[in-house]
Amino acid sequence: MTQAEIRALEHASRSTAVWSNEVYDSSPHFGEVVRALLPAALILATATALLVALL
C-alpha cells in the first residue's frame, strides 16, 4: 500500500466521523436523556434495595 493510499484512507475515515450541521440542531434534549436513564436508575434502586434487605 502506498503512502498516498494510506493518506486517502485516513482522510476518508475522518470525514465520516464529523458531525453534520443538518443532524446536530444544537437544542438540548434533557427529556430524552432522562427517559433513557430512568430504567437504569430503577434497576439500580431495586438492586440496592435487595442488597440492603439481605443485610
Side-chain angles (χ1 to χ4, degrees), residues 5-19:
E5 290 172 331
I6 293 171
R7 250 188 257 116
L9 287 173
E10 287 178 350
H11 290 301
S13 65
R14 285 190 194 124
S15 66
T16 58
V18 177
W19 282 98

Side-chain angles (χ1 to χ4, degrees):
M1 185 176 276
T2 66
Q3 197 70 13
E5 290 172 331
I6 293 171
R7 250 188 257 116
L9 287 173
E10 287 178 350
H11 290 301
S13 65
R14 285 190 194 124
S15 66
T16 58
V18 177
W19 282 98
S20 170
N21 287 338
E22 296 170 359
V23 176
Y24 185 67
D25 59 358
S26 73
S27 64
H29 300 281
F30 296 117
E32 294 173 7
V33 172
V34 170
R35 280 195 305 267
L37 292 177
L38 187 61
L42 291 175
I43 291 169
L44 287 174
T46 304
T48 302
L50 290 172
L51 285 172
V52 168
L54 287 174
L55 295 176

